[in-house]
Amino acid sequence: DTGVSQNPRHKITKRGQNVTFRCDPISEHNRLYWYRQTLGQGPEFLTYFQNEAQLEKSRLLSDRFSAERPKGSFSTLEIQRTEQGDSAMYLCASRSGQQETQYFGPGTRLLVL
Amino acid sequence: AQSVTQLGSHVSVSEGALVLLRCNYSSSVPPYLFWYVQYPNQGLQLLLKYTSAATLVKGINGFEAEFKKSETSFHLTKPSAHMSDAAEYFCAVSLYNFNKFYFGSGTKLNVKP
């Protein structure tokens, strides 16, 4: 039973560059979530998908952020024109419709220089 | 609106001592409550959850929590701390559909030998 996986685990980029993160949920989970966690804070909800449909986006998700889940399986989160304030841990979680629990991946830590 | 307050960003206990991590919630509807643990550079792992069944909930690694509606609390306890319990602990509240979790800012537990 594999858990949620995220790639890359770490990313260092220069301000202004674009970055893309990938999340592979637990295989039978149709719901997928993205959170952002900054230093000393708890995770903050960004967006979620049910199958391939993106059903909710937080106001934290500016126009520079876009997320996709094209076939209802893996998801990507892209940040365009990165800013230093984007430096954070980006967490992905998934769950099935019959469960209450969201299962989290190890996260992608982004550092924008 | 839903929110979580975790009192004490850092808690230090001796090995073998009682662990008490505090969580108070605010919710406009009946809440569903979760405790997660995060080890350094890792994702979040579920410890336990309250989803309107028994108010005293037992979780993994000897942890338990009691839902007290009158106090709007869901404090996490463990009778005897182990060195391996040193980590950061997050309390979260969810709506009935479990699609958006609101996390507290976390409590770092330090266990002294």
Side-chain angles (χ1 to χ4, degrees), chain B residues 17-47:
Chain B
L18 172 71
V19 175
L20 171 60
L21 305 182
R22 299 180 185 274
C23 172
N24 288 87
Y25 69 90
S26 172
S27 178
S28 54
V29 296
Y32 298 94
L33 297 157
F34 300 76
W35 275 100
Y36 282 86
V37 61
Q38 186 176 37
Y39 296 98
N41 298 313
Q42 294 188 26
L44 281 73
Q45 178 183 2
L46 179 71
L47 277 177

PDB file of all heavy atoms in Angstrom, chain B residues 17-47:
ATOM      1  N   ALA B  17       6.819  11.578  31.593  1.00  0.00           N
ATOM      2  CA  ALA B  17       5.836  12.526  32.123  1.00  0.00           C
ATOM      3  C   ALA B  17       4.607  12.587  31.219  1.00  0.00           C
ATOM      4  O   ALA B  17       4.630  12.167  30.064  1.00  0.00           O
ATOM      5  CB  ALA B  17       6.463  13.912  32.268  1.00  0.00           C
ATOM      6  N   LEU B  18       3.541  13.172  31.787  1.00  0.00           N
ATOM      7  CA  LEU B  18       2.303  13.362  31.039  1.00  0.00           C
ATOM      8  C   LEU B  18       2.498  14.387  29.926  1.00  0.00           C
ATOM      9  O   LEU B  18       3.118  15.434  30.129  1.00  0.00           O
ATOM     10  CB  LEU B  18       1.205  13.843  31.981  1.00  0.00           C
ATOM     11  CG  LEU B  18      -0.111  14.285  31.342  1.00  0.00           C
ATOM     12  CD1 LEU B  18      -0.874  13.082  30.796  1.00  0.00           C
ATOM     13  CD2 LEU B  18      -0.950  15.071  32.337  1.00  0.00           C
ATOM     14  N   VAL B  19       1.941  14.075  28.765  1.00  0.00           N
ATOM     15  CA  VAL B  19       1.921  15.028  27.662  1.00  0.00           C
ATOM     16  C   VAL B  19       0.511  15.595  27.552  1.00  0.00           C
ATOM     17  O   VAL B  19      -0.474  14.848  27.526  1.00  0.00           O
ATOM     18  CB  VAL B  19       2.288  14.349  26.326  1.00  0.00           C
ATOM     19  CG1 VAL B  19       2.151  15.337  25.164  1.00  0.00           C
ATOM     20  CG2 VAL B  19       3.707  13.787  26.389  1.00  0.00           C
ATOM     21  N   LEU B  20       0.418  16.935  27.509  1.00  0.00           N
ATOM     22  CA  LEU B  20      -0.869  17.607  27.305  1.00  0.00           C
ATOM     23  C   LEU B  20      -0.657  18.712  26.285  1.00  0.00           C
ATOM     24  O   LEU B  20       0.075  19.670  26.543  1.00  0.00           O
ATOM     25  CB  LEU B  20      -1.389  18.195  28.613  1.00  0.00           C
ATOM     26  CG  LEU B  20      -2.621  19.116  28.491  1.00  0.00           C
ATOM     27  CD1 LEU B  20      -3.808  18.375  27.883  1.00  0.00           C
ATOM     28  CD2 LEU B  20      -2.980  19.720  29.845  1.00  0.00           C
ATOM     29  N   LEU B  21      -1.286  18.570  25.126  1.00  0.00           N
ATOM     30  CA  LEU B  21      -1.217  19.585  24.081  1.00  0.00           C
ATOM     31  C   LEU B  21      -2.628  20.120  23.876  1.00  0.00           C
ATOM     32  O   LEU B  21      -3.558  19.351  23.659  1.00  0.00           O
ATOM     33  CB  LEU B  21      -0.666  18.996  22.776  1.00  0.00           C
ATOM     34  CG  LEU B  21       0.693  18.296  22.883  1.00  0.00           C
ATOM     35  CD1 LEU B  21       1.139  17.805  21.503  1.00  0.00           C
ATOM     36  CD2 LEU B  21       1.741  19.200  23.499  1.00  0.00           C
ATOM     37  N   ARG B  22      -2.746  21.437  23.930  1.00  0.00           N
ATOM     38  CA  ARG B  22      -4.079  22.059  23.963  1.00  0.00           C
ATOM     39  C   ARG B  22      -4.550  22.500  22.579  1.00  0.00           C
ATOM     40  O   ARG B  22      -3.764  23.022  21.774  1.00  0.00           O
ATOM     41  CB  ARG B  22      -4.067  23.262  24.901  1.00  0.00           C
ATOM     42  CG  ARG B  22      -3.730  22.892  26.336  1.00  0.00           C
ATOM     43  CD  ARG B  22      -3.717  24.108  27.246  1.00  0.00           C
ATOM     44  NE  ARG B  22      -3.274  23.759  28.593  1.00  0.00           N
ATOM     45  CZ  ARG B  22      -4.079  23.307  29.537  1.00  0.00           C
ATOM     46  NH1 ARG B  22      -5.375  23.156  29.291  1.00  0.00           N
ATOM     47  NH2 ARG B  22      -3.595  23.012  30.730  1.00  0.00           N
ATOM     48  N   CYS B  23      -5.848  22.289  22.351  1.00  0.00           N
ATOM     49  CA  CYS B  23      -6.476  22.699  21.099  1.00  0.00           C
ATOM     50  C   CYS B  23      -7.881  23.190  21.404  1.00  0.00           C
ATOM     51  O   CYS B  23      -8.671  22.470  22.028  1.00  0.00           O
ATOM     52  CB  CYS B  23      -6.529  21.528  20.123  1.00  0.00           C
ATOM     53  SG  CYS B  23      -7.500  21.838  18.621  1.00  0.00           S
ATOM     54  N   ASN B  24      -8.160  24.403  20.997  1.00  0.00           N
ATOM     55  CA  ASN B  24      -9.515  24.939  21.067  1.00  0.00           C
ATOM     56  C   ASN B  24      -9.967  25.294  19.660  1.00  0.00           C
ATOM     57  O   ASN B  24      -9.192  25.790  18.853  1.00  0.00           O
ATOM     58  CB  ASN B  24      -9.571  26.161  21.973  1.00  0.00           C
ATOM     59  CG  ASN B  24      -9.415  25.795  23.431  1.00  0.00           C
ATOM     60  OD1 ASN B  24      -8.304  25.701  23.948  1.00  0.00           O
ATOM     61  ND2 ASN B  24     -10.529  25.558  24.090  1.00  0.00           N
ATOM     62  N   TYR B  25     -11.219  25.052  19.389  1.00  0.00           N
ATOM     63  CA  TYR B  25     -11.720  25.265  18.043  1.00  0.00           C
ATOM     64  C   TYR B  25     -12.876  26.248  18.052  1.00  0.00           C
ATOM     65  O   TYR B  25     -13.514  26.483  19.082  1.00  0.00           O
ATOM     66  CB  TYR B  25     -12.177  23.945  17.428  1.00  0.00           C
ATOM     67  CG  TYR B  25     -13.411  23.387  18.091  1.00  0.00           C
ATOM     68  CD1 TYR B  25     -14.682  23.722  17.636  1.00  0.00           C
ATOM     69  CD2 TYR B  25     -13.309  22.547  19.193  1.00  0.00           C
ATOM     70  CE1 TYR B  25     -15.815  23.247  18.272  1.00  0.00           C
ATOM     71  CE2 TYR B  25     -14.427  22.067  19.838  1.00  0.00           C
ATOM     72  CZ  TYR B  25     -15.678  22.424  19.368  1.00  0.00           C
ATOM     73  OH  TYR B  25     -16.801  21.949  19.999  1.00  0.00           O
ATOM     74  N   SER B  26     -13.123  26.794  16.903  1.00  0.00           N
ATOM     75  CA  SER B  26     -14.288  27.624  16.665  1.00  0.00           C
ATOM     76  C   SER B  26     -14.956  27.106  15.400  1.00  0.00           C
ATOM     77  O   SER B  26     -14.291  26.937  14.375  1.00  0.00           O
ATOM     78  CB  SER B  26     -13.874  29.089  16.482  1.00  0.00           C
ATOM     79  OG  SER B  26     -14.974  29.863  16.071  1.00  0.00           O
ATOM     80  N   SER B  27     -16.247  26.818  15.521  1.00  0.00           N
ATOM     81  CA  SER B  27     -16.941  26.287  14.364  1.00  0.00           C
ATOM     82  C   SER B  27     -18.402  26.675  14.422  1.00  0.00           C
ATOM     83  O   SER B  27     -19.037  26.582  15.473  1.00  0.00           O
ATOM     84  CB  SER B  27     -16.805  24.759  14.318  1.00  0.00           C
ATOM     85  OG  SER B  27     -17.510  24.223  13.215  1.00  0.00           O
ATOM     86  N   SER B  28     -18.932  27.056  13.290  1.00  0.00           N
ATOM     87  CA  SER B  28     -20.332  27.458  13.215  1.00  0.00           C
ATOM     88  C   SER B  28     -21.252  26.250  13.050  1.00  0.00           C
ATOM     89  O   SER B  28     -22.462  26.377  13.143  1.00  0.00           O
ATOM     90  CB  SER B  28     -20.529  28.425  12.042  1.00  0.00           C
ATOM     91  OG  SER B  28     -20.034  27.843  10.854  1.00  0.00           O
ATOM     92  N   VAL B  29     -20.681  25.110  12.809  1.00  0.00           N
ATOM     93  CA  VAL B  29     -21.442  23.867  12.660  1.00  0.00           C
ATOM     94  C   VAL B  29     -20.743  22.792  13.485  1.00  0.00           C
ATOM     95  O   VAL B  29     -19.604  22.983  13.905  1.00  0.00           O
ATOM     96  CB  VAL B  29     -21.520  23.445  11.174  1.00  0.00           C
ATOM     97  CG1 VAL B  29     -22.285  24.477  10.365  1.00  0.00           C
ATOM     98  CG2 VAL B  29     -20.131  23.232  10.606  1.00  0.00           C
ATOM     99  N   PRO B  30     -21.419  21.664  13.725  1.00  0.00           N
ATOM    100  CA  PRO B  30     -20.739  20.590  14.473  1.00  0.00           C
ATOM    101  C   PRO B  30     -19.411  20.247  13.824  1.00  0.00           C
ATOM    102  O   PRO B  30     -19.347  19.980  12.624  1.00  0.00           O
ATOM    103  CB  PRO B  30     -21.733  19.432  14.387  1.00  0.00           C
ATOM    104  CG  PRO B  30     -23.054  20.100  14.274  1.00  0.00           C
ATOM    105  CD  PRO B  30     -22.815  21.329  13.449  1.00  0.00           C
ATOM    106  N   PRO B  31     -18.352  20.263  14.622  1.00  0.00           N
ATOM    107  CA  PRO B  31     -17.030  20.081  14.043  1.00  0.00           C
ATOM    108  C   PRO B  31     -16.602  18.632  13.947  1.00  0.00           C
ATOM    109  O   PRO B  31     -17.087  17.774  14.668  1.00  0.00           O
ATOM    110  CB  PRO B  31     -16.135  20.808  15.035  1.00  0.00           C
ATOM    111  CG  PRO B  31     -16.790  20.521  16.361  1.00  0.00           C
ATOM    112  CD  PRO B  31     -18.272  20.511  16.069  1.00  0.00           C
ATOM    113  N   TYR B  32     -15.682  18.405  13.043  1.00  0.00           N
ATOM    114  CA  TYR B  32     -14.930  17.161  13.013  1.00  0.00           C
ATOM    115  C   TYR B  32     -13.487  17.550  13.284  1.00  0.00           C
ATOM    116  O   TYR B  32     -12.970  18.477  12.681  1.00  0.00           O
ATOM    117  CB  TYR B  32     -15.086  16.474  11.666  1.00  0.00           C
ATOM    118  CG  TYR B  32     -16.520  16.098  11.397  1.00  0.00           C
ATOM    119  CD1 TYR B  32     -17.350  16.940  10.674  1.00  0.00           C
ATOM    120  CD2 TYR B  32     -17.054  14.926  11.907  1.00  0.00           C
ATOM    121  CE1 TYR B  32     -18.680  16.626  10.456  1.00  0.00           C
ATOM    122  CE2 TYR B  32     -18.385  14.596  11.691  1.00  0.00           C
ATOM    123  CZ  TYR B  32     -19.192  15.459  10.976  1.00  0.00           C
ATOM    124  OH  TYR B  32     -20.505  15.140  10.773  1.00  0.00           O
ATOM    125  N   LEU B  33     -12.840  16.854  14.187  1.00  0.00           N
ATOM    126  CA  LEU B  33     -11.549  17.286  14.702  1.00  0.00           C
ATOM    127  C   LEU B  33     -10.498  16.208  14.529  1.00  0.00           C
ATOM    128  O   LEU B  33     -10.781  15.015  14.660  1.00  0.00           O
ATOM    129  CB  LEU B  33     -11.677  17.658  16.180  1.00  0.00           C
ATOM    130  CG  LEU B  33     -12.609  18.847  16.438  1.00  0.00           C
ATOM    131  CD1 LEU B  33     -13.132  18.828  17.852  1.00  0.00           C
ATOM    132  CD2 LEU B  33     -11.867  20.148  16.158  1.00  0.00           C
ATOM    133  N   PHE B  34      -9.289  16.657  14.250  1.00  0.00           N
ATOM    134  CA  PHE B  34      -8.191  15.747  13.946  1.00  0.00           C
ATOM    135  C   PHE B  34      -6.925  16.234  14.652  1.00  0.00           C
ATOM    136  O   PHE B  34      -6.724  17.430  14.837  1.00  0.00           O
ATOM    137  CB  PHE B  34      -7.902  15.737  12.440  1.00  0.00           C
ATOM    138  CG  PHE B  34      -9.066  15.291  11.587  1.00  0.00           C
ATOM    139  CD1 PHE B  34     -10.135  16.134  11.337  1.00  0.00           C
ATOM    140  CD2 PHE B  34      -9.085  14.020  11.044  1.00  0.00           C
ATOM    141  CE1 PHE B  34     -11.210  15.727  10.565  1.00  0.00           C
ATOM    142  CE2 PHE B  34     -10.144  13.596  10.256  1.00  0.00           C
ATOM    143  CZ  PHE B  34     -11.206  14.449  10.020  1.00  0.00           C
ATOM    144  N   TRP B  35      -6.087  15.289  15.015  1.00  0.00           N
ATOM    145  CA  TRP B  35      -4.725  15.582  15.423  1.00  0.00           C
ATOM    146  C   TRP B  35      -3.773  14.861  14.464  1.00  0.00           C
ATOM    147  O   TRP B  35      -3.913  13.662  14.218  1.00  0.00           O
ATOM    148  CB  TRP B  35      -4.439  15.114  16.850  1.00  0.00           C
ATOM    149  CG  TRP B  35      -4.837  16.071  17.915  1.00  0.00           C
ATOM    150  CD1 TRP B  35      -5.960  16.045  18.687  1.00  0.00           C
ATOM    151  CD2 TRP B  35      -4.085  17.209  18.366  1.00  0.00           C
ATOM    152  NE1 TRP B  35      -5.963  17.089  19.585  1.00  0.00           N
ATOM    153  CE2 TRP B  35      -4.818  17.820  19.411  1.00  0.00           C
ATOM    154  CE3 TRP B  35      -2.850  17.768  18.004  1.00  0.00           C
ATOM    155  CZ2 TRP B  35      -4.376  18.952  20.076  1.00  0.00           C
ATOM    156  CZ3 TRP B  35      -2.409  18.891  18.670  1.00  0.00           C
ATOM    157  CH2 TRP B  35      -3.176  19.481  19.702  1.00  0.00           C
ATOM    158  N   TYR B  36      -2.808  15.643  13.962  1.00  0.00           N
ATOM    159  CA  TYR B  36      -1.756  15.094  13.102  1.00  0.00           C
ATOM    160  C   TYR B  36      -0.403  15.352  13.768  1.00  0.00           C
ATOM    161  O   TYR B  36      -0.228  16.336  14.495  1.00  0.00           O
ATOM    162  CB  TYR B  36      -1.751  15.786  11.742  1.00  0.00           C
ATOM    163  CG  TYR B  36      -2.825  15.339  10.770  1.00  0.00           C
ATOM    164  CD1 TYR B  36      -4.086  15.910  10.802  1.00  0.00           C
ATOM    165  CD2 TYR B  36      -2.557  14.361   9.814  1.00  0.00           C
ATOM    166  CE1 TYR B  36      -5.065  15.506   9.889  1.00  0.00           C
ATOM    167  CE2 TYR B  36      -3.520  13.959   8.899  1.00  0.00           C
ATOM    168  CZ  TYR B  36      -4.773  14.544   8.951  1.00  0.00           C
ATOM    169  OH  TYR B  36      -5.738  14.148   8.047  1.00  0.00           O
ATOM    170  N   VAL B  37       0.572  14.510  13.437  1.00  0.00           N
ATOM    171  CA  VAL B  37       1.940  14.700  13.904  1.00  0.00           C
ATOM    172  C   VAL B  37       2.844  14.862  12.677  1.00  0.00           C
ATOM    173  O   VAL B  37       2.609  14.232  11.633  1.00  0.00           O
ATOM    174  CB  VAL B  37       2.415  13.527  14.790  1.00  0.00           C
ATOM    175  CG1 VAL B  37       2.391  12.211  14.030  1.00  0.00           C
ATOM    176  CG2 VAL B  37       3.814  13.789  15.334  1.00  0.00           C
ATOM    177  N   GLN B  38       3.825  15.743  12.810  1.00  0.00           N
ATOM    178  CA  GLN B  38       4.774  15.965  11.717  1.00  0.00           C
ATOM    179  C   GLN B  38       6.190  15.866  12.255  1.00  0.00           C
ATOM    180  O   GLN B  38       6.573  16.633  13.139  1.00  0.00           O
ATOM    181  CB  GLN B  38       4.540  17.338  11.077  1.00  0.00           C
ATOM    182  CG  GLN B  38       5.382  17.595   9.844  1.00  0.00           C
ATOM    183  CD  GLN B  38       5.057  18.931   9.180  1.00  0.00           C
ATOM    184  OE1 GLN B  38       4.772  19.915   9.851  1.00  0.00           O
ATOM    185  NE2 GLN B  38       5.090  18.965   7.855  1.00  0.00           N
ATOM    186  N   TYR B  39       6.944  14.939  11.713  1.00  0.00           N
ATOM    187  CA  TYR B  39       8.361  14.829  12.027  1.00  0.00           C
ATOM    188  C   TYR B  39       9.147  15.692  11.045  1.00  0.00           C
ATOM    189  O   TYR B  39       8.650  16.001   9.953  1.00  0.00           O
ATOM    190  CB  TYR B  39       8.802  13.369  11.983  1.00  0.00           C
ATOM    191  CG  TYR B  39       8.110  12.523  13.031  1.00  0.00           C
ATOM    192  CD1 TYR B  39       6.992  11.755  12.702  1.00  0.00           C
ATOM    193  CD2 TYR B  39       8.544  12.524  14.350  1.00  0.00           C
ATOM    194  CE1 TYR B  39       6.332  11.009  13.666  1.00  0.00           C
ATOM    195  CE2 TYR B  39       7.893  11.779  15.315  1.00  0.00           C
ATOM    196  CZ  TYR B  39       6.790  11.032  14.963  1.00  0.00           C
ATOM    197  OH  TYR B  39       6.135  10.301  15.928  1.00  0.00           O
ATOM    198  N   PRO B  40      10.344  16.105  11.402  1.00  0.00           N
ATOM    199  CA  PRO B  40      11.111  17.027  10.551  1.00  0.00           C
ATOM    200  C   PRO B  40      11.200  16.566   9.105  1.00  0.00           C
ATOM    201  O   PRO B  40      11.497  15.398   8.833  1.00  0.00           O
ATOM    202  CB  PRO B  40      12.490  17.052  11.221  1.00  0.00           C
ATOM    203  CG  PRO B  40      12.199  16.763  12.654  1.00  0.00           C
ATOM    204  CD  PRO B  40      11.068  15.784  12.644  1.00  0.00           C
ATOM    205  N   ASN B  41      10.926  17.496   8.211  1.00  0.00           N
ATOM    206  CA  ASN B  41      11.014  17.274   6.768  1.00  0.00           C
ATOM    207  C   ASN B  41      10.118  16.142   6.273  1.00  0.00           C
ATOM    208  O   ASN B  41      10.430  15.481   5.269  1.00  0.00           O
ATOM    209  CB  ASN B  41      12.466  17.003   6.353  1.00  0.00           C
ATOM    210  CG  ASN B  41      13.358  18.176   6.665  1.00  0.00           C
ATOM    211  OD1 ASN B  41      13.015  19.310   6.368  1.00  0.00           O
ATOM    212  ND2 ASN B  41      14.487  17.913   7.296  1.00  0.00           N
ATOM    213  N   GLN B  42       9.033  15.924   6.972  1.00  0.00           N
ATOM    214  CA  GLN B  42       8.081  14.904   6.548  1.00  0.00           C
ATOM    215  C   GLN B  42       6.681  15.490   6.469  1.00  0.00           C
ATOM    216  O   GLN B  42       6.421  16.598   6.955  1.00  0.00           O
ATOM    217  CB  GLN B  42       8.089  13.720   7.521  1.00  0.00           C
ATOM    218  CG  GLN B  42       9.396  12.939   7.534  1.00  0.00           C
ATOM    219  CD  GLN B  42       9.293  11.685   8.357  1.00  0.00           C
ATOM    220  OE1 GLN B  42       8.221  11.108   8.536  1.00  0.00           O
ATOM    221  NE2 GLN B  42      10.428  11.234   8.864  1.00  0.00           N
ATOM    222  N   GLY B  43       5.775  14.745   5.864  1.00  0.00           N
ATOM    223  CA  GLY B  43       4.383  15.166   5.816  1.00  0.00           C
ATOM    224  C   GLY B  43       3.686  14.908   7.140  1.00  0.00           C
ATOM    225  O   GLY B  43       4.312  14.564   8.136  1.00  0.00           O
ATOM    226  N   LEU B  44       2.386  15.062   7.133  1.00  0.00           N
ATOM    227  CA  LEU B  44       1.594  14.908   8.352  1.00  0.00           C
ATOM    228  C   LEU B  44       1.036  13.482   8.443  1.00  0.00           C
ATOM    229  O   LEU B  44       0.550  12.940   7.457  1.00  0.00           O
ATOM    230  CB  LEU B  44       0.438  15.903   8.369  1.00  0.00           C
ATOM    231  CG  LEU B  44       0.783  17.332   8.763  1.00  0.00           C
ATOM    232  CD1 LEU B  44       1.540  18.039   7.650  1.00  0.00           C
ATOM    233  CD2 LEU B  44      -0.480  18.107   9.096  1.00  0.00           C
ATOM    234  N   GLN B  45       1.080  12.942   9.639  1.00  0.00           N
ATOM    235  CA  GLN B  45       0.545  11.611   9.885  1.00  0.00           C
ATOM    236  C   GLN B  45      -0.610  11.719  10.869  1.00  0.00           C
ATOM    237  O   GLN B  45      -0.485  12.387  11.900  1.00  0.00           O
ATOM    238  CB  GLN B  45       1.643  10.717  10.465  1.00  0.00           C
ATOM    239  CG  GLN B  45       1.197   9.304  10.801  1.00  0.00           C
ATOM    240  CD  GLN B  45       2.294   8.479  11.443  1.00  0.00           C
ATOM    241  OE1 GLN B  45       3.403   8.963  11.681  1.00  0.00           O
ATOM    242  NE2 GLN B  45       1.996   7.229  11.733  1.00  0.00           N
ATOM    243  N   LEU B  46      -1.717  11.074  10.557  1.00  0.00           N
ATOM    244  CA  LEU B  46      -2.889  11.133  11.434  1.00  0.00           C
ATOM    245  C   LEU B  46      -2.624  10.402  12.737  1.00  0.00           C
ATOM    246  O   LEU B  46      -2.177   9.250  12.745  1.00  0.00           O
ATOM    247  CB  LEU B  46      -4.092  10.510  10.739  1.00  0.00           C
ATOM    248  CG  LEU B  46      -5.380  10.492  11.556  1.00  0.00           C
ATOM    249  CD1 LEU B  46      -5.940  11.916  11.671  1.00  0.00           C
ATOM    250  CD2 LEU B  46      -6.408   9.563  10.940  1.00  0.00           C
ATOM    251  N   LEU B  47      -2.919  11.085  13.845  1.00  0.00           N
ATOM    252  CA  LEU B  47      -2.851  10.464  15.166  1.00  0.00           C
ATOM    253  C   LEU B  47      -4.210   9.922  15.588  1.00  0.00           C
ATOM    254  O   LEU B  47      -4.329   8.793  16.061  1.00  0.00           O
ATOM    255  CB  LEU B  47      -2.416  11.477  16.210  1.00  0.00           C
ATOM    256  CG  LEU B  47      -0.928  11.761  16.381  1.00  0.00           C
ATOM    257  CD1 LEU B  47      -0.743  12.859  17.429  1.00  0.00           C
ATOM    258  CD2 LEU B  47      -0.175  10.516  16.784  1.00  0.00           C
TER     259      LEU B  47
END
